[in-house]
Amino acid sequence: MQKISQHFARSEFACQCGTCPQSQDPTVDVTLINILEELRRHFNTPITITSAMRCKSHNASVGGSVFSKHLEGKASDVLLKGVTPDKVYDYLVERYPDSYGFGKYETFTHIDSRRLKARWEIKG
């Protein structure tokens, strides 16, 4: 398992299609890793990455935007053990008020390292 930071391995960011080059050696943005490491330190709990790098085909199959940051290796959907998506989202928007992309979903939190601020909440 190739570690790319203290708590994350490159394989955790692989495209879930299982067949594209990004499913074997995913692109992962350094800023995204830094946000995730800071989030893990703050809540002091493991983070599960449920979706990260996506090839165009896989992104389309899951209904992702054609402009999705997942296509660039700059996004992750995450779960934090024992922490609700509400708490994760609220912390991130307070910690990084003027940058990055954060989306709150019912069961996970989206984090991306885009330069401009973007925020959204999806119910049910």
Side-chain angles (χ1 to χ4, degrees), residues 4-75:
I4 55 176
S5 70
Q6 183 178 357
H7 297 101
F8 297 99
R10 183 171 300 281
S11 60
E12 294 177 86
F13 296 86
C15 181
Q16 295 174 1
C17 78
T19 59
C20 74
Q22 294 290 350
S23 67
Q24 301 303 313
D25 188 23
T27 300
V28 187
D29 183 67
V30 173
T31 301
L32 176 63
I33 294 295
N34 291 338
I35 295 167
L36 293 170
E37 282 290 351
E38 196 281 326
L39 186 64
R40 192 184 189 293
R41 279 190 301 276
H42 175 78
F43 285 105
N44 193 30
T45 192
I47 295 175
T48 300
I49 297 168
T50 61
S51 182
M53 184 67 209
R54 296 179 189 158
C55 65
K56 286 183 182 181
S57 176
H58 182 67
N59 189 60
S61 75
V62 298
S65 162
V66 296
F67 303 109
S68 173
K69 294 301 176 189
H70 287 278
L71 296 166
E72 302 171 33
K74 292 184 175 189

